[in-house]
């Protein structure tokens, strides 16, 4: 890594830390019970109009069951509406390239993908989606699907902050406030920063030009900057164009690459600060922040090291991968010169430590060790720092497991933030933790056993196994990045990946809401000398250890058959 | 359930108008007013004023009179409607054979010693298939061939390479690279 690469990493860390410190209290103000809320004069009238048009009573709080019902109803309606839009896009306006209707299996997969905040894409945007489908379908889910995750996290925080009540909030209010007060204003600013760097923002179709040397080239059009902004802010990651954030029209410069990375990390880290505020114990927020940051920085370091060191096979063939003043060097297959190998290591760790899944380099062409980083990041369950809300509630579930393990060691009923953690909660924690591994391991095993599914694999050997497990890991953890060689647009993968995304989203959300419903009724017990303190570096270490060990035991056999054996063979 | 579905549909409709119609259209209006050229794709024009591409999108160049861009996996190469990486794994024999072949061709075309190593960016496909840049090392190795074919002084060609080198953003973000499209356009304008 050159000194410029180190500065780049430092800039990311500094901007995210400052951004989280500024945005955290603001988010706490949007959702906290007795927090100072900002911008009421500007936002409240818009919200009142939306409530009136939606027929919502913003004053009516819900129990966890009602909240879950609203959330599921909204998600169901979203899937159906998006499916319909994709199927009818050829009849609707804003289709300058005259793309046909999206075929049904692909529309099914894509609708689920965007509603579950996954953004797995079995298509290339250029020749599949109309501008209307992108704007009014996919981008709308880019706004609301992260906010659905945020709502769940907010409910879980309220369960710790409130006591002896059954009410957890109003889903519609939480959804609307997140849109109007957090994501829309941020997206407007970020979109214009993108355009200033060269990300396109127009409503044109392809422009056919005669090139410098007399050939022809199609230059794409579209409202990309506005979509790019919310794609990263909400950890969505679905590219407007097939090459996603590798494409110069989505990510033209080193500056936009930094902006993408920072905006991906901003809200998830800010939420840890908001969490501390809302439970009135800032140290608890910092512990979660520290555990997330430790996991993320480790993964950035490993991925960057492997990619800048290069691929020994390419050196043997006669390629020069050294870093000099005249070239960035490293393993550049599937990478852009302007980002280089270090930019890839950084971005790949960030996009998979969160549930984003945008890529600024082809993960499939990373070295075996470097490519294992995004895979392991997703297997950790998207908690470093994870998606908007989803990362925080995921980490809090791990925190419940950690206090439970600590409680077993000292023989006391575990407590977290003054709430007793009992059998009911622990059962839900276990359900939460087993859903994704079951989906990933079962579907991967069936896929490599089925001859027809094996036909979708591009790369031979252990890499081909990794290609398949990567797909299901990405889907079940709602990430959306891919080892892109897999030909996923088949009935088998459209269906099974779609199911994995649904399982990994709603079969995790409902247990979390149930945990919240159980905790919110409990009294907050005062801490005593025997209480295991959770606001300390020791607990941050325990929490990180629990995340790594739980995942390590689950996936180690699979990893050893894929990236580990491939790396050892180099 | 009916009690939940009706508000769900109504709220989704309202948020679609807000986030899916109003937001992108307002963004388009502001972007076009403030940064029209960039919002339209940073289009490049030749001396006659005809659009010949975008300074951000790489193009295919073959022949000894041009600087060569990186290998591309977008369609048949630099297809703007099919951006894509190769997705070949690091140990895939297909990748290693392609790289070996490109190294031989590059060395021969540019008159390198048979055992000379070649800058990695020259023999690996980019992520988008539309990478407009090559490394400075790659451009310098190609300069003598281009200068000779075009009958230009080597120093002039190397000076053009410097002119078309984009540094890191703000001096430390990303990596420097030579923009092959604008460099070749400048060469073409010199005749």
């Amino acid at each position: 890594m050159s000194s410029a690469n180190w500065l780049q990493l430092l800039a990311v860390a500094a901007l995210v830390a400052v951004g989280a410190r500024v945005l955290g209290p603001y988010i706490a103000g949007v959702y906290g019970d007795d927090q100072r809320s900002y911008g009421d004069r500007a936002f409240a009238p818009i919200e009142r109009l939306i409530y009136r048009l939606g027929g919502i009573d913003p004053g009516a709080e819900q129990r966890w069951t009602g909240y879950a019902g609203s959330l599921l109803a909204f998600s169901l309606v979203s899937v159906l509406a998006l499916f319909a839009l994709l199927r009818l896009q050829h009849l609707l306006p804003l289709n300058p390239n005259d793309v046909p209707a999206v075929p049904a299996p692909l529309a099914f997969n894509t609708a689920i993908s965007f509603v579950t905040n996954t953004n797995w894409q079995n298509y290339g945007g250029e020749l599949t989606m109309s501008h209307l489908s992108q704007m009014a379908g996919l981008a709308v889910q880019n706004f609301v699907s992260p906010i659905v995750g945020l709502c769940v996290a907010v409910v879980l925080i309220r369960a710790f902050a409130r006591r002896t009540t059954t009410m957890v909030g109003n889903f519609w209010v939480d959804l609307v406030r997140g849109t109007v007060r957090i994501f829309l204003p941020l997206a407007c600013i970020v979109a214009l920063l993108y355009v200033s760097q060269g990300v396109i923002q127009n409503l044109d179709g392809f422009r056919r030009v005669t090139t410098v040397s007399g050939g022809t080239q199609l230059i794409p059009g579209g409202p990309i900057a506005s979509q790019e902004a919310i794609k990263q802010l909400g950890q969505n990651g679905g590219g407007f164009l097939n090459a996603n954030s590798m494409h110069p029209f989505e990510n033209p410069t080193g500056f936009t690459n930094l902006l993408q990375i920072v905006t991906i990390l901003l809200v998830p880290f800010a939420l840890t600060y908001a969490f501390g505020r809302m439970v009135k114990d800032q140290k608890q927020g910092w512990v979660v922040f520290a555990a997330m940051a430790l996991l993320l920085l480790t993964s950035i370091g490993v991925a960057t090291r492997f990619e800048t060191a290069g691929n020994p096979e390419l050196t043997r063939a006669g390629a020069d991968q050294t870093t000099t003043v005249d070239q960035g060097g490293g393993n550049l297959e599937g990478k852009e010169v302007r980002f280089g190998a270090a930019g890839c290591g950084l971005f790949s760790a960030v996009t998979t430590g969160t549930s984003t899944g945008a890529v600024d380099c082809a993960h499939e062409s990373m070295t075996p060790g470097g490519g294992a980083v995004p895979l392991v990041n997703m297997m950790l369950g998207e908690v470093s720092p994870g998606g908007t809300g989803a990362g925080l509630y995921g980490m809090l579930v791990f925190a419940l497991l950690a206090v439970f393990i600590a409680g077993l060691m000292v023989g006391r009923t575990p407590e977290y933030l003054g709430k007793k953690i009992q059998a009911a909660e622990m059962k839900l924690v276990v359900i939460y933790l087993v859903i994704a591994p079951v989906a990933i391991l079962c579907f991967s095993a069936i896929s490599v056993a089925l001859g027809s599914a094996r036909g979708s694999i591009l790369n031979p050997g252990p890499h081909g196994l990794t290609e398949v497990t990567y797909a299901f890991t990405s889907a079940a953890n709602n990430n959306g990045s891919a080892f892109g060689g897999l030909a996923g647009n088949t009935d088998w993968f459209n269906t099974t990946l779609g199911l994995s995304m649904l399982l990994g989203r709603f079969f995790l959300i409902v247990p979390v809401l149930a945990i919240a419903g159980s905790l919110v009724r409990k009294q907050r017990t005062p801490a005593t000398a025997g209480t295991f303190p959770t606001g300390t570096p020791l607990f941050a270490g325990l929490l990180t250890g629990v995340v790594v060990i739980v995942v390590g035991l689950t996936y180690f056999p699979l990893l050893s058959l894929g990236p580990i054996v491939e790396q050892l063979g180099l | 359930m009916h009690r939940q579905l009706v508000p769900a549909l109504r709220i989704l409709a309202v948020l679609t108008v807000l986030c899916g119609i109003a937001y992108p259209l307002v963004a388009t209006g502001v972007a076009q007013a403030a940064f029209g050229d960039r919002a339209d794709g940073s289009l490049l024009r030749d001396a006659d004023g005809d659009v010949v591409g975008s300074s951000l999108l790489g193009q295919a160049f073959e022949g000894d009179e041009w600087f060569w861009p990186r290998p591309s996996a977008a369609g048949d190469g630099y297809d703007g409607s099919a951006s894509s990486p190769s997705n070949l794994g690091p140990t895939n024999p297909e990748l290693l054979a392609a790289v070996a072949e490109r190294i031989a061709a590059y060395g021969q075309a540019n008159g390198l010693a048979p055992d000379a190593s070649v800058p990695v960016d020259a023999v690996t496909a980019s992520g988008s298939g539309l990478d407009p840049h090559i490394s400075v090392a790659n451009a310098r190795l190609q300069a003598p061939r281009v200068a000779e074919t075009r009958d230009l002084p080597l120093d002039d060609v190397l000076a053009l390479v410097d002119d078309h080198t984009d540094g890191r953003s703000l001096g430390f973000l990303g990596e420097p690279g030579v923009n092959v499209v604008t460099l070749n356009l400048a060469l073409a304008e010199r005749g």
Side-chain angles (χ1 to χ4, degrees):
Chain A
M1 253 169 84
S2 65
S3 53
N5 298 154
W6 282 105
L7 269 177
Q8 178 169 263
L9 181 58
L10 203 65
V12 169
L15 287 169
V16 170
V18 171
R21 179 67 185 78
V22 173
L23 190 62
Y26 177 80
I27 295 177
V30 173
Y31 289 113
D33 285 330
D34 39 30
Q35 299 282 338
R36 185 166 159 220
S37 137
Y38 304 85
D40 280 337
R41 212 185 303 168
F43 298 128
I46 306 174
E47 287 165 358
R48 276 198 297 274
L49 177 66
I50 297 176
Y51 298 144
R52 208 168 68 231
L53 293 171
I56 303 299
D57 172 10
E61 291 239 327
Q62 296 169 304
R63 294 187 170 79
W64 83 265
T65 45
Y67 200 99
S70 298
L71 185 153
L72 293 173
F74 182 72
S75 300
L76 176 67
V77 167
S78 293
V79 170
L80 295 176
L82 183 51
F83 181 83
L85 177 60
L86 297 179
R87 297 288 290 148
L88 298 173
Q89 66 174 1
H90 56 302
L91 305 173
L92 297 168
L94 282 172
N95 184 8
N97 297 327
D98 290 321
V99 294
V102 180
L106 181 58
F108 165 82
N109 183 281
T110 306
I112 289 174
S113 176
F114 277 72
V115 171
T116 56
N117 194 232
T118 311
N119 294 36
W120 175 270
Q121 295 173 293
N122 276 337
Y123 63 89
E126 288 97 328
L127 298 174
T128 313
M129 294 295 165
S130 74
H131 290 349
L132 187 72
S133 294
Q134 300 266 21
M135 286 163 49
L138 305 180
V140 169
Q141 287 308 316
N142 281 356
F143 273 98
V144 295
S145 70
I147 300 172
V148 166
L150 177 58
C151 289
V152 177
V154 164
V155 165
L156 188 56
I157 298 173
R158 286 185 186 135
F160 289 111
R162 295 179 178 182
R163 65 192 88 171
T164 59
T165 171
T166 52
M167 298 300 174
V168 296
N170 180 311
F171 172 73
W172 307 112
V173 172
D174 292 343
L175 175 70
V176 169
R177 285 173 76 92
T179 311
V180 172
R181 290 180 187 240
I182 301 173
F183 282 93
L184 255 184
L186 281 174
C188 288
I189 299 166
V190 174
L192 289 180
L193 283 173
Y194 279 134
V195 183
S196 77
Q197 291 286 305
V199 179
I200 63 171
Q201 180 74 22
N202 58 57
L203 299 174
D204 304 336
F206 287 115
R207 176 196 287 265
R208 182 180 290 276
V209 302
T210 302
T211 63
V212 175
S213 63
T216 56
Q217 188 177 41
L218 292 174
I219 296 182
I224 296 186
S226 56
Q227 193 146 332
E228 200 68 19
I230 191 61
K231 162 184 141 185
Q232 309 296 34
L233 280 166
Q235 297 80 44
N236 294 287
F240 195 101
L241 304 164
N242 188 45
N244 208 307
S245 291
M246 302 182 277
H247 199 294
F249 275 179
E250 293 206 15
N251 193 4
T253 65
F255 176 77
T256 55
N257 203 45
L258 174 87
L259 185 61
Q260 302 219 340
I261 291 167
V262 171
T263 51
I264 285 172
L265 295 173
L266 180 62
V267 177
F269 274 118
L271 273 176
T272 64
Y273 195 89
F275 163 64
R277 269 267 165 128
M278 288 166 72
V279 299
K280 301 204 169 54
D281 185 352
Q282 205 60 59
K283 271 190 248 157
Q284 306 290 342
W286 285 122
V287 162
V288 174
F289 183 101
M292 290 173 166
L294 182 63
L295 290 167
L296 180 65
L297 287 171
T298 307
S299 65
I300 290 172
V302 175
T304 306
R305 198 207 149 280
F306 273 109
E307 292 313 298
T308 52
N311 178 355
E313 296 277 10
L314 296 187
T315 303
R316 250 169 256 146
D320 178 6
Q321 298 178 88
T322 55
T323 302
T324 66
V325 285
D326 283 342
Q327 68 162 12
N331 168 30
L332 284 191
E333 179 66 30
K335 294 184 181 60
E336 302 282 293
V337 166
R338 63 191 180 283
F339 308 139
C344 167
L346 174 59
F347 197 107
S348 65
V350 165
T351 195
T352 52
T354 61
S355 70
T356 310
V359 292
D360 85 344
C361 61
H363 289 185
E364 174 115 48
S365 297
M366 292 172 79
T367 60
V373 168
L375 182 60
V376 171
N377 264 348
M378 296 188 297
M379 287 172 169
L380 293 179
E382 300 296 22
V383 290
S384 55
T388 294
L392 182 65
Y393 66 67
M395 197 53 120
L396 293 180
V397 166
F398 276 116
L400 296 183
L401 185 63
V403 295
F404 178 73
I405 291 170
L408 286 180
M409 288 194 273
V410 297
R412 280 178 54 96
T413 306
E415 290 166 17
Y416 188 58
L417 306 179
K419 300 269 182 160
K420 281 198 169 14
I421 309 303
Q422 291 159 307
E425 289 84 19
M426 287 316 297
K427 282 179 194 160
L428 293 161
V429 166
V430 170
I431 292 174
Y432 179 100
L433 291 174
V434 300
I435 293 289
V438 165
I440 293 164
L441 297 176
C442 291
F443 282 130
S444 296
I446 298 170
S447 296
V448 292
L450 277 179
S452 57
R454 274 204 308 275
S456 290
I457 298 175
L458 175 72
N459 285 284
H463 205 80
L465 175 66
T466 314
E467 205 171 293
V468 173
T469 52
Y470 195 103
F472 287 106
T473 306
S474 175
N477 287 293
N478 296 154
N479 181 272
S481 69
F483 266 25
L486 185 77
N489 190 14
T490 64
D491 288 353
W492 168 258
F493 281 110
N494 275 324
T495 309
T496 52
L497 290 170
L499 290 175
S500 302
M501 292 187 265
L502 285 175
L503 285 168
R505 179 72 167 179
F506 299 108
F507 283 69
L508 270 52
I509 279 181
V510 173
V512 171
L513 289 175
I515 292 172
S518 168
L519 290 176
V520 76
R521 283 186 279 127
K522 298 188 183 189
Q523 186 56 257
R524 229 176 149 159
T525 50
T528 64
T531 307
F532 182 64
T534 55
T536 60
L538 175 68
F539 186 69
L542 179 69
L543 181 55
T544 315
V546 165
V547 172
V548 172
I549 291 165
V550 167
V551 171
L553 292 178
T554 310
Y555 294 110
F556 185 75
L558 193 54
L559 289 171
S560 57
L561 291 174
I564 294 177
V565 73
E566 194 185 10
Q567 180 70 39
L568 292 177
L570 274 177
Chain B
M1 204 60 195
H2 172 77
R3 268 196 15 240
Q4 302 276 28
L5 286 175
V6 174
L9 199 58
R10 288 169 64 169
I11 288 281
L12 179 66
V14 176
L15 292 183
T16 298
V17 172
L18 183 65
C19 303
I21 307 287
Y23 161 68
L25 292 185
V26 169
T28 305
V30 176
Q32 289 288 339
F35 310 102
D37 285 350
R38 299 194 165 192
D40 282 337
S42 307
L43 299 175
L44 283 174
R45 290 168 198 279
D46 62 12
D48 302 331
D50 293 328
V51 175
V52 293
S54 160
S55 64
L56 295 177
L57 301 185
Q59 299 182 356
F61 289 98
E62 289 163 12
D64 286 343
E65 71 273 35
W66 303 110
F67 281 90
W68 294 349
R70 302 183 60 193
S72 164
D76 294 330
Y78 289 94
D79 183 341
S81 67
S83 62
S84 176
S86 75
N87 283 316
L88 295 175
T91 57
N92 191 327
E94 200 183 318
L95 170 72
L96 303 177
V99 168
E101 198 177 304
R102 290 168 191 154
I103 287 173
Y106 185 95
Q108 197 176 20
N110 296 298
L112 306 187
D115 57 345
S117 60
V118 173
V120 61
D121 65 285
V123 294
T124 48
S126 63
S128 60
L130 294 165
D131 192 345
H133 292 112
I134 58 176
S135 69
V136 176
N138 180 356
R140 293 234 167 105
L141 285 175
Q142 295 190 52
R145 165 176 57 79
V146 174
E148 194 184 344
T149 313
R150 290 188 173 264
D151 214 7
L152 291 169
L154 178 59
D155 285 347
D156 286 14
V157 175
L158 287 173
L160 272 182
V161 168
D162 282 347
D163 290 347
H164 292 273
T165 301
D166 297 325
R168 297 184 167 98
S169 299
L170 308 180
F172 69 100
L173 298 172
E175 304 290 347
V178 179
N179 190 315
V180 187
V181 181
T182 59
L183 172 61
N184 278 332
L185 179 59
L187 280 171
E189 312 263 274
R190 285 184 64 144

